[in-house]
Amino acid sequence: ECRETIKKICDSFAVSPIARDIIETASLVNGAGVGIELARAKHHANDPYFLQPMDGVDSTGYRASWWTQFYCILWRSWLSVLKDPMLVKVRLLQTAMVASLIGSIYFGQVLDQDGVMNINGSLFLFLTNMTFQNVFAVINVFSAELPVFLREKRSRLYRVDTYFLGKTIAELPLFIAVPFVFTSITYPMIGLKAGVSHYLTTLFIVTLVANVSTSFGYLISCASSSIS
């Protein structure tokens, strides 16, 4: 269907007045001497059908600065995150349900021998849940966009570092919200050490674990040529 559509577009263009003008101009240029060719090139300097020199291209071959590339990639990645709000809601709801389940299993622990062992088990689930959940959340991010990235990179639209930073920073709020929801539910239910400072320390460590796991998922995604 795509090939048929392209053929219709090409056929329609071939019989258009614009195509006839271009063919006539090309024939005149090819038949004339260098002087006529230069004259016509000068005459058509402002013609939209003639390719103009690329203004603003720096020595590296990019038309935009590093910050402009970073801003555009960040904005595009952020729009792609906002484009699918149901996925964000499902992630947060899944985290809340798992946190409630873990909190119910280890609910109201006391500091005796059994309680210490149970708290160790709950902390182990803290780490495993934050690790695997975030690894599998991003494991297909780059491999799914690899064809688009390679095409745009070869076109010198942006650098690799701007793409990677923009993509990861756009998804950073979600990877901060997930540990916050998880810790805020499980911490009081299990009965871990009371106090705002202890809670914030736990939240900070769980957030670090979640983002390190996310980085590991990015590593696997970048190293893989396809989702499978």
Side-chain angles (χ1 to χ4, degrees):
E1 290 178 356
C2 292
R3 291 196 179 102
E4 291 177 359
T5 304
I6 293 172
K7 188 176 184 303
K8 290 179 182 177
I9 294 173
C10 294
D11 292 342
S12 300
F13 177 77
V15 297
S16 66
I18 297 176
R20 287 197 296 269
D21 292 342
I22 293 176
I23 294 174
E24 181 181 350
T25 303
S27 301
L28 289 174
V29 170
N30 291 331
V34 176
I36 297 177
E37 183 177 354
L38 292 175
R40 288 192 174 276
K42 183 177 180 181
H43 175 71
H44 291 289
N46 297 321
D47 198 316
Y49 311 124
F50 283 74
L51 292 177
Q52 303 299 322
M54 294 176 62
D55 297 327
V57 177
D58 58 14
S59 59
T60 60
Y62 297 101
R63 301 191 68 170
S65 64
W66 190 95
W67 285 107
T68 303
Q69 297 175 34
F70 173 72
Y71 173 78
C72 293
I73 293 295
L74 179 63
W75 180 247
R76 186 177 72 174
S77 302
W78 179 246
L79 289 180
S80 66
V81 172
L82 297 180
K83 188 174 65 177
D84 197 359
M86 182 58 65
L87 181 61
V88 177
K89 293 178 181 178
V90 168
R91 287 282 311 278
L92 295 176
L93 180 61
Q94 175 190 1
T95 302
M97 292 177 63
V98 173
S100 301
L101 179 62
I102 295 176
S104 301
I105 295 173
Y106 295 99
F107 184 78
Q109 296 298 316
V110 294
L111 287 178
D112 54 14
Q113 185 63 36
D114 292 335
V116 170
M117 296 299 295
N118 290 335
I119 289 174
N120 284 338
S122 67
L123 295 179
F124 173 77
L125 288 178
F126 265 62
L127 298 179
T128 55
N129 184 69
M130 284 295 100
T131 299
F132 290 106
Q133 180 179 352
N134 289 285
V135 166
F136 287 107
V138 300
I139 204 167
N140 63 342
V141 168
F142 289 110
S143 54
E145 295 186 2
L146 188 61
V148 176
F149 166 74
L150 291 177
R151 183 174 68 245
E152 295 178 343
K153 177 66 174 64
R154 293 190 186 109
S155 300
R156 311 292 287 176
L157 293 180
Y158 47 74
R159 297 169 173 82
V160 177
D161 54 349
T162 54
Y163 173 78
F164 182 81
L165 290 174
K167 188 72 178 174
T168 53
I169 293 176
E171 298 180 351
L172 186 62
L174 182 61
F175 297 118
I176 294 177
V178 167
F180 175 77
V181 172
F182 183 83
T183 308
S184 299
I185 295 175
T186 53
Y187 196 92
M189 290 184 68
I190 296 173
L192 298 177
K193 193 170 184 179
V196 177
S197 61
H198 302 299
Y199 164 76
L200 293 178
T201 302
T202 305
L203 178 61
F204 177 70
I205 294 174
V206 172
T207 304
L208 283 181
V209 170
N211 283 275
V212 169
S213 304
T214 302
S215 299
F216 184 68
Y218 283 143
L219 172 64
I220 299 175
S221 183
C222 291
S224 305
S225 59
S226 64
I227 297 177
S228 60

